[in-house]
Amino acid sequence: MTKIKKILKKSSNQIIVAMFLGIIVGIVMGEKASYFAPLGKLFMQLIKMLVLPLITVSIISGASSLGNTRSAGKIGISTFVYFMGTTMVAVIIGLILGNIFKPGLGLDVSIIKSMFSDEYVNKGATPGFWETILGIIPVNPFKALMDGNILQILFFSLFLGFGISTLEKSKKETLINVFEYLSEALIWMVEKVIYIAPIGVFGLMADAVGTFGYETLYLVLKLLLVYILALILHAFGLYPLLIKLFTKVSPKKFLSKVKKAQIVALSTASSMGTLPVTFEVCEEELDVSSSTTSFVLPLGATINMDGGAIYYALVAIFFAQMFNIDLSIFDYIAIIFTATIGSIGQAGVPGPSLLVVAVLISANIPVVGLPLLFGVDRIFDMLRTAVNVTGDAACAVIVDNLVKDTTDDK
């Protein structure tokens, strides 16, 4: 993972340069910039190749490890409930704001269809409750994997991971090691794809701007502004509210102290890289016990991705609007489930692109428009990391107060 972070850090500047070069070429060449489209398609094909196996392996591995949180008693249960709950709220905030502000509207649908695939535009009838439930459970997990049915893959992966966590120690460790080794091999593949990301982004941006012109950049700017609003509501609304309801700490004090970690997270775009500062803020300035921080913060830096969850939901709405797709109730359930469980199970996945593909596929939204966002992903990544770190710190404060209250009662 450290190696990937270094590669990402080195390639991020190259991707930004490639984005601007692609914009310039697209403006100068116009529709002729489509000559560079195969470079982007190659990059997208490689990402799509990796998304299903990588997410499957990481979720099985993560679920098998999370099964051990029972030994941590109330800390483990409270932490997991917090992560699941706040992540689901984050997804819902993204969906609501996406539907209110409609950032994906603004382009002529006929122009969109001329450039992108419309294979998912025709929607079937909305399934009923039991059809929805039964549709999540795979009859054949291997067929679900081959068909790219993300919901069924997530369900089976979670079920299998929790099953592994119940095995006796020697058997469990053997299986966990197998999935960790598979994850390492897949991460090696991801490293190679990351190397060609600037080339892919150049081709994609040149093609997109050459076809759409300035309207494309305007849409992305709208998405960014709506995303910032969603992050503000989540970080400065939900977290302080939870702090006020479940702790004796002042929300104002919490936001004041956690600011240091937020700044580091913005600059590094890495929850892991910010971990030492988050430890310092929680233990020395918010009086959280070391026994709580040592469990909650490393786990949170790995699986607590509220900022990412908002992004996945908002991007799904963005492209559904762009491609003029009316989402059904089932599609919204698919987005909520995939973005919530997927963001928690994405440990080991560098960057958000792979999981965004999974969320889009789960609701039958075309993934081919996703490259429009790759060039500015560094900005999105910095912002969501700051929110993720804030959520980790809030969890540590809340869980520590709950544990202390229980001890005091006794």
Side-chain angles (χ1 to χ4, degrees):
M1 285 305 298
T2 303
K3 186 177 180 181
I4 289 180
K5 291 292 183 184
K6 290 180 179 178
I7 295 173
L8 284 170
K9 190 172 182 180
K10 290 179 181 178
S11 64
S12 61
N13 292 333
Q14 296 173 0
I15 289 175
I16 292 173
V17 172
M19 176 192 71
F20 283 111
L21 286 176
I23 291 173
I24 294 170
V25 170
I27 292 173
V28 173
M29 295 185 63
E31 293 186 2
K32 291 183 179 180
S34 61
Y35 292 140
F36 298 103
L39 296 175
K41 290 179 180 178
L42 173 65
F43 179 58
M44 281 299 297
Q45 197 81 353
L46 288 167
I47 287 179
K48 291 171 71 175
M49 174 185 72
L50 293 172
V51 59
L52 294 179
L54 189 52
I55 286 177
T56 301
V57 169
S58 65
I59 289 177
I60 292 174
S61 178
S64 61
S65 299
L66 283 174
N68 294 328
T69 59
R70 294 174 183 173
S71 62
K74 191 171 183 178
I75 293 179
I77 296 171
S78 301
T79 301
F80 186 63
V81 169
Y82 171 94
F83 289 158
M84 285 292 295
T86 57
T87 302
M88 187 171 294
V89 171
V91 175
I92 293 172
I93 288 175
L95 293 176
I96 291 174
L97 292 186
N99 279 291
I100 290 175
F101 293 101
K102 304 186 184 304
L105 298 183
L107 285 180
D108 189 299
V109 176
S110 61
I111 297 178
I112 296 173
K113 288 183 177 179
S114 70
M115 178 179 177
F116 293 143
S117 165
D118 61 355
E119 59 180 307
Y120 296 114
V121 173
N122 297 321
K123 311 296 287 180
T126 302
F129 173 78
W130 286 112
E131 286 81 1
T132 299
I133 299 300
L134 293 173
I136 295 175
I137 304 172
V139 175
N140 185 338
F142 297 102
K143 185 176 185 299
L145 190 62
M146 293 180 65
D147 293 343
N149 191 319
I150 300 296
L151 279 177
Q152 293 185 355
I153 293 169
L154 288 174
F155 179 86
F156 179 79
S157 299
L158 280 171
F159 209 175
L160 177 58
F162 288 132
I164 291 173
S165 72
T166 64
L167 298 175
E168 60 183 65
K169 187 175 180 181
S170 60
K171 295 178 180 179
K172 177 170 62 179
E173 289 180 348
T174 300
L175 284 174
I176 289 177
N177 285 337
V178 168
F179 285 108
E180 286 182 352
Y181 296 150
L182 281 173
S183 180
E184 288 178 13
L186 287 166
I187 286 173
W188 178 88
M189 298 171 71
V190 172
E191 290 174 9
K192 307 312 170 188
V193 174
I194 290 172
Y195 281 125
I196 68 165
I199 298 173
V201 168
F202 167 78
L204 294 163
M205 289 303 295
D207 185 30
V209 174
T211 303
F212 289 161
Y214 296 104
E215 291 179 327
T216 302
L217 304 180
Y218 171 66
L219 277 185
V220 175
L221 178 60
K222 283 204 303 182
L223 176 65
L224 178 61
L225 292 176
V226 176
Y227 183 56
I228 291 173
L229 175 59
L231 293 179
I232 290 173
L233 288 175
H234 198 73
F236 299 99
L238 179 65
Y239 293 146
L241 177 62
L242 294 176
I243 291 289
K244 184 175 180 62
L245 291 175
F246 296 103
T247 78
K248 299 173 183 177
V249 178
S250 163
K252 185 177 180 180
K253 176 184 177 182
F254 170 77
L255 291 175
S256 174
K257 300 300 183 183
V258 82
K259 191 184 300 181
K260 184 192 298 184
Q262 290 174 332
I263 293 172
V264 175
L266 275 171
S267 61
T268 63
S270 169
S271 295
M272 285 293 184
T274 312
L275 203 51
V277 181
T278 313
F279 266 108
E280 179 187 344
V281 169
C282 289
E283 292 181 4
E284 297 183 13
E285 302 187 36
L286 292 171
D287 300 320
V288 180
S289 66
S290 59
S291 59
T292 299
T293 57
S294 62
F295 177 85
V296 172
L297 295 183
L299 185 64
T302 307
I303 70 172
N304 185 36
M305 305 291 169
D306 289 0
I310 293 174
Y311 178 78
Y312 308 139
L314 200 52
V315 166
I317 296 297
F318 176 79
F319 284 116
Q321 292 168 354
M322 178 182 277
F323 288 95
N324 198 27
I325 297 174
D326 292 325
L327 298 177
S328 66
I329 295 298
F330 176 76
D331 293 324
Y332 281 111
I333 292 173
I335 292 170
I336 291 172
F337 185 82
T338 307
T340 301
I341 303 300
S343 63
I344 288 176
Q346 78 162 45
V349 181
S353 303
L354 293 172
L355 188 55
V356 171
V357 174
V359 174
L360 294 178
I361 292 175
S362 73
N364 291 332
I365 300 170
V367 301
V368 287
L370 188 58
L372 293 174
L373 307 179
F374 284 174
V376 293
D377 184 63
R378 177 70 180 183
I379 299 173
F380 284 99
D381 201 12
M382 292 164 62
L383 294 169
R384 61 176 160 257
T385 303
V387 172
N388 294 342
V389 168
T390 306
D392 296 343
C395 181
V397 173
I398 291 170
V399 170
D400 196 56
N401 273 263
L402 290 175
V403 173
K404 286 178 179 176
D405 288 344
T406 303
T407 305
D408 293 341
D409 292 340
K410 291 182 179 178

